[in-house]
Amino acid sequence: MLLEEVYFWTDTVKDWKKIFSVDKYKIVVIDTLRELVNRKKITVYAFVIMPNHLHLVWQMVEENGKEMPHASFNKFTSHQIFQDLKVHHPDILPYFKVSDTERNFRLWQRDPLAILMDTQDKLEQKIDYIHLNPLQERWLLCEKTEDYEWSSARFYETGIDNYDFLTDYRNLL
């Protein structure tokens, strides 16, 4: 990923475990995005948090120390969620055990999907995809896109940013 470019990003939980069925872990994602936006490391144009994955349309603005903001995002969300699992749900933790030299547990699958948004059509198609994701037959998490709390759809339908970190993609055009 390059700084200043807009990407459609998919992060999938290891083995498709539905860790984000628990709202407190969705809040970790929201809080981490807000922190990175407030520190001017990223710009978030659209998002959805699904039970076992998330999609973002975002832009890396500035490195976070020596690493790209997406690496900081993955590292911080993993750390926070594993800290909570250790204390409150130790029986769940073994599902995330790995035998890597660099870590004992892995929340996110390796190699997230990152697609450069180099045309307006592609950008709008991916944002529609993000907002429609909770309505898919496989999930049926809501009846209308703007009813799903863990998405930017309500922002685009009503102009209300309940998360206080979204930027309207139309500002890019």
Side-chain angles (χ1 to χ4, degrees):
M1 287 183 65
L2 301 172
L3 291 175
E4 299 302 328
E5 297 287 354
V6 177
Y7 288 89
F8 170 77
W9 175 273
T10 301
D11 245 339
T12 304
V13 175
K14 179 185 175 295
D15 300 328
W16 294 87
K17 297 292 183 205
K18 294 181 180 175
I19 194 79
F20 295 117
S21 295
V22 179
D23 284 354
K24 67 180 172 179
Y25 299 136
K26 292 186 202 100
I27 292 168
V28 168
V29 168
I30 296 297
D31 288 347
T32 304
L33 291 172
R34 184 180 300 112
E35 175 67 18
L36 289 168
V37 167
N38 287 344
R39 292 178 50 222
K40 299 184 180 0
K41 303 299 178 187
I42 63 171
T43 304
V44 178
Y45 299 103
F47 78 96
V48 67
I49 306 170
M50 302 298 290
N52 58 13
H53 67 285
L54 60 84
H55 299 294
L56 293 159
V57 171
W58 65 350
Q59 184 176 29
M60 303 294 108
V61 176
E62 179 181 280
E63 287 186 353
N64 189 32
K66 294 181 180 181
E67 67 186 4
M68 289 292 279
H70 63 81
S72 298
F73 170 82
N74 282 359
K75 192 183 299 181
F76 189 76
T77 52
S78 297
H79 177 76
Q80 293 293 108
I81 290 169
F82 288 145
Q83 289 300 105
D84 185 83
L85 287 174
K86 285 176 190 173
V87 172
H88 298 105
H89 311 283
D91 53 318
I92 302 297
L93 204 52
Y95 291 107
F96 298 96
K97 184 98 173 106
V98 292
S99 53
D100 286 355
T101 55
E102 58 199 46
R103 65 180 51 92
N104 294 323
F105 300 96
R106 177 176 295 283
L107 177 68
W108 301 109
Q109 285 184 187
R110 291 180 189 264
D111 301 322
L113 176 67
I115 300 172
L116 180 63
M117 296 290 97
D118 52 1
T119 69
Q120 182 177 341
D121 285 347
K122 192 185 293 186
L123 177 65
E124 290 176 345
Q125 184 271 329
K126 291 301 184 190
I127 290 174
D128 287 345
Y129 174 81
I130 285 172
H131 293 158
L132 292 170
N133 211 229
L135 277 70
Q136 288 182 0
E137 189 175 331
R138 174 179 183 201
W139 299 111
L140 297 175
L141 297 172
C142 59
E143 290 185 23
K144 296 186 299 192
T145 59
E146 62 269 24
D147 291 341
Y148 187 63
E149 183 176 355
W150 307 102
S151 161
S152 53
R154 185 176 299 136
F155 170 70
Y156 283 101
E157 284 294 320
T158 68
I160 298 167
D161 180 1
N162 291 330
Y163 298 105
D164 196 31
F165 63 71
L166 292 166
T167 297
D168 192 319
Y169 81 90
R170 292 167 291 209
N171 294 340
L172 287 168
L173 309 176

